[in-house]
């Protein structure tokens, strides 16, 4: 089936699409694939700023992690119902984890939805849209297992200079608060040669930073029987000429071994940054969560990382108010936060995930207690983040210029970039032009809890192949016909961890 068969024949009006993404980086990367599939089938992205419901196809890529995820979805679908009634040719598709979980329920609650597809068969979206149009009835297709590794699908990368590279899908863990393994399935690893081929192809296109992506990224190798496969992969990526920055997310303390720390320390292009989910500092709560490490093991990992990589910035995920959490348990979490001195922490108030064991546990914590603990944790982490950022003042840093990360840049005449350790730095705009993907050298003059400032003149500018790639993409898009804007929306750009929600709070 050709693209014109899907999006209109020769001379027909080209159909537009919009993909709305919820949840973790896995979903963001899946949405890049959904966009690539639709464009490969002849659709074009709706211009940025298009009114809600004006696209011919609206795709919801959903997340099932939060208790109110379904309410949010049905609220959004409800707003589109009258718009679709006025535009009979409009189509609505729902995919992702919530679609995998709810299946036929979505069409029953929102009968105006045209397509429901799961996490294992995103490649079927264009075919299902066409089938729904021809048969004039909803198409629900949920595969129970992975049909093809998603990286074999067309992908519309949202950034010219940075890219996600998926190394595995699924998860073998059984955390009691997390429904993701039930929806994404058991871990399935890609062949190392396929991963490296994708990395090399991206670098050839101008990409200079990659983020290796997996639900439990450092368990890579369990599917292929090599316990050191992840550290070997880091070292192999480090040998790709032209690749300047390598990151990965999200690891699990259970699988974080000394060979990975050594690979990070000994591979110059692996950045001094680590996102290591804690979830709780209490051994009792960790056991109830079915997390396979304890406080001593976790702090031991942090100590080893800091010994090998002194300037590493370490971030984490923490859940407050897990069922049965006592004040003493919570104090243990605060203790780990003080000891680990995280650069940032992504903190979550526990909420029931329907279908998880934790949702049925006794001793659910009252909302008022959870809120009070959450505020204490946030206050402590804010203090530590600020103290750790103040240590950066006076340092000279190399930044990769970022796109869309400084909301006040225009007003302040600044640009924004990411340091090697992933800290966000706003810097004075230099006299010479710089592009996203280029590298600048600056001196940090001020620290806030969540960003740094370099208010003096830029000390150096290095124009890069990544900047060339960004400039080429901008020129190509500017030459497209009016009304067809394939710009670089801010959602979906593989922004480093402090700028984006890490995982699902379930890593």
């Amino acid at each position: 089936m050709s693209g014109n068969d899907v999006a209109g024949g020769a001379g027909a009006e080209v159909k537009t699409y919009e993909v709305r993404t919820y949840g973790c980086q896995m979903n963001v990367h899946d949405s890049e694939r959904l966009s690539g599939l639709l464009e490969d089938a002849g659709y074009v992205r709706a211009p940025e700023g298009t009114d809600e419901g004006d696209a011919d196809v609206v795709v919801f890529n959903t997340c099932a992690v939060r208790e109110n995820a379904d309410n949010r979805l049905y609220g959004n679908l409800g707003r589109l119902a009258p718009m679709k009634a006025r535009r009979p040719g409009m189509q609505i598709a729902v995919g992702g984890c919530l679609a995998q979980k709810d299946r036929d329920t979505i069409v029953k609650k929102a009968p105006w939805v045209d397509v429901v597809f799961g996490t294992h068969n995103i490649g079927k979206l264009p075919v299902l849209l066409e089938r729904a149009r021809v048969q004039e009835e909803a198409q629900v297709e949920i595969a129970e297992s992975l049909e093809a590794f998603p990286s074999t699908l067309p992908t519309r990368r949202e950034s010219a200079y940075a890219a996600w590279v998926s190394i595995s899908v699924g998860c073998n863990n059984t955390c009691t608060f997390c429904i993701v393994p039930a929806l994404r399935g058991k871990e399935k690893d890609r062949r190392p040669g396929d991963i490296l081929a994708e990395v090399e192809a991206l670098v050839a296109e101008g990409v200079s930073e990659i983020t290796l992506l997996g639900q439990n990224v450092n368990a890579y190798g369990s599917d292929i029987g090599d316990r050191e496969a992840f550290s070997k992969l880091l070292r192999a990526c480090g040998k790709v000429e032209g690749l300047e920055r390598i990151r990965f997310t999200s690891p699990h303390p259970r699988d974080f071994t000394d060979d990975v720390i050594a690979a990070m320390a000994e591979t110059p292009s692996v950045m001094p940054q680590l996102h290591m989910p804690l979830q709780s500092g209490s051994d009792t709560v960790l056991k109830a969560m079915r997390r396979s490490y304890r406080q001593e093991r976790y702090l031991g990992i942090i100590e080893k990382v800091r010994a090998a990589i002194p300037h590493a910035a370490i971030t984490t995920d923490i859940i407050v108010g897990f069922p049965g959490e006592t004040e003493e348990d919570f104090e243990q979490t605060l203790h780990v936060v003080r000891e680990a001195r995280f650069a940032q922490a992504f903190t979550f108030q526990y909420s029931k995930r329907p279908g998880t064991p934790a949702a049925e546990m006794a001793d659910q914590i009252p909302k008022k207690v959870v809120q009070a603990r959450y505020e204490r944790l946030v206050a402590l982490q804010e203090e530590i983040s600020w103290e750790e950022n103040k240590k950066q003042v006076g340092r000279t840093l190399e930044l990769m210029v970022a796109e869309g990360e400084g909301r006040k840049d225009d007003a302040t005449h600044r640009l924004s970039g990411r340091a090697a350790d992933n800290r966000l730095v706003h810097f004075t705009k230099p006299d010479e032009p710089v592009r996203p993907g280029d590298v600048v050298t600056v001196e940090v003059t001020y620290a806030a809890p969540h960003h740094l400032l370099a208010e003096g003149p830029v000390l150096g500018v290095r124009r890069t192949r990544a900047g060339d790639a960004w400039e080429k993409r901008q020129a190509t898009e500017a030459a497209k016909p009016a009304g067809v804007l394939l710009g670089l929306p801010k959602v979906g750009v593989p922004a480093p961890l402090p700028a984006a929600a890490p995982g699902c709070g379930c890593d």
Side-chain angles (χ1 to χ4, degrees), residues 335-409:
H335 169 70
V336 175
V337 169
R338 293 187 188 100
E339 290 293 310
R341 299 197 64 80
F342 300 113
Q344 297 282 342
F346 297 88
T347 52
F348 305 87
Q349 296 186 40
Y350 172 78
S351 62
K352 291 182 180 180
R353 277 78 161 174
T356 63
E360 306 301 323
M361 287 181 177
D363 299 323
Q364 299 284 328
I365 310 298
K367 170 67 176 174
K368 184 177 180 180
V369 175
V370 176
Q371 181 67 35
R373 289 176 183 170
Y374 176 80
E375 291 172 1
R376 288 163 59 195
L377 173 62
V378 169
L380 173 61
Q381 183 56 51
E382 286 279 300
E383 179 184 333
I384 292 172
S385 294
W386 200 357
E387 290 173 355
E388 291 301 305
N389 273 0
K390 286 176 182 176
K391 295 177 182 178
Q392 306 298 311
V393 174
R395 290 190 65 195
T396 299
L397 303 177
E398 270 200 342
L399 313 177
M400 181 176 290
V401 181
E403 181 172 46
E405 293 212 57
R407 290 173 293 179
K408 299 180 181 178
D409 282 352

Side-chain angles (χ1 to χ4, degrees), residues 420-492:
D421 66 5
N422 214 21
R423 284 183 165 90
L424 178 63
V425 184
H426 305 299
F427 61 95
T428 303
K429 188 179 293 185
D431 294 333
E432 60 183 295
V434 293
R435 308 154 303 177
D438 286 340
V439 174
V440 298
T441 304
V442 302
E443 182 179 328
V444 177
T445 58
Y446 174 82
H450 302 290
H451 69 268
L452 304 172
L453 292 182
E455 300 164 297
V458 169
L459 304 178
V461 174
R462 176 164 61 87
R463 293 173 71 83
T464 65
R465 292 171 60 254
D468 294 343
W470 179 89
E471 191 169 44
K472 181 179 178 181
R473 178 184 281 203
Q474 294 298 105
T476 300
E477 290 164 358
K480 292 185 180 295
V484 180
L485 176 62
L486 299 181
L488 293 173
K490 294 173 182 55
V491 63

Side-chain angles (χ1 to χ4, degrees), residues 15-273:
K15 291 185 180 295
T16 59
Y17 76 90
E18 176 188 357
V19 179
R20 302 185 189 180
T21 308
Y22 305 98
C24 66
Q25 296 102 323
M26 300 293 288
N27 270 18
V28 171
H29 192 25
D30 281 349
S31 289
E32 290 186 324
R33 296 182 180 117
L34 292 170
S35 296
L37 284 159
L38 290 170
E39 293 189 9
D40 200 47
Y43 296 87
V44 298
R45 176 169 295 194
E48 194 169 349
T50 297
D51 290 339
E52 186 178 57
D54 278 355
D56 296 302
V57 172
V58 179
V59 183
F60 292 90
N61 190 9
T62 64
C63 174
V65 166
R66 294 294 177 189
E67 183 179 17
N68 64 351
D70 53 348
N71 294 333
R72 185 179 185 187
L73 171 65
Y74 295 123
N76 287 323
L77 292 175
R79 283 193 294 273
L80 286 182
M83 302 174 192
K84 184 175 179 184
R86 294 192 297 268
R87 298 180 58 216
M90 180 183 177
Q91 290 185 297
I92 300 171
V94 180
C97 288
L98 192 61
Q100 188 81 21
K101 172 178 166 286
D102 283 359
R103 306 178 181 233
D104 295 330
T105 305
I106 293 173
V107 173
K108 290 177 182 176
K109 289 187 175 182
W112 54 92
V113 169
D114 299 276
V115 171
V116 179
F117 62 101
T119 59
H120 298 310
N121 62 329
I122 64 176
K124 291 290 187 65
L125 176 60
V127 172
L128 294 173
L129 286 168
E130 176 66 1
R131 193 184 299 163
R133 185 184 66 80
V134 172
Q135 297 182 7
E136 297 184 345
E137 63 180 12
Q139 302 295 308
V140 179
E141 187 169 309
I142 306 291
E144 295 300 332
S145 59
L146 194 65
E147 294 184 345
F149 202 92
S151 288
T152 62
L153 301 173
T155 303
R156 186 199 187 282
R157 303 276 177 181
E158 300 294 357
S159 171
Y161 57 91
W164 307 108
V165 175
S166 183
I167 69 170
S168 64
V169 294
C171 181
N172 293 336
N173 294 319
T174 57
C175 302
T176 55
F177 56 80
C178 182
I179 198 169
V180 170
L183 303 179
R184 295 227 175 226
K186 293 292 186 181
E187 180 177 325
K188 182 69 176 175
D189 295 335
R190 286 178 78 187
R191 292 165 54 91
D194 293 340
I195 297 169
L196 289 171
E198 182 178 356
V199 170
E200 290 167 351
L202 288 167
V203 172
E205 294 170 6
V207 167
S208 60
E209 176 179 312
I210 63 162
T211 301
L212 301 175
L213 190 62
Q215 210 74 50
N216 179 6
V217 70
N218 62 312
Y220 177 76
S222 62
D223 186 46
I224 55 180
D226 185 352
R227 196 165 181 271
E228 295 189 352
F230 185 61
S231 62
K232 293 174 183 176
L233 180 62
L234 288 177
R235 293 181 187 276
C237 289
K239 295 177 182 177
V240 175
E241 188 174 350
L243 180 58
E244 298 191 18
R245 294 186 171 193
I246 302 167
R247 306 186 191 276
F248 57 89
T249 193
S250 286
H252 191 294
R254 182 194 68 186
D255 303 298
F256 203 79
T257 48
D258 290 350
D259 59 297
V260 173
I261 298 173
M264 292 176 66
E266 296 165 10
T267 309
S269 52
V270 175
M271 295 294 94
Q273 172 231 334

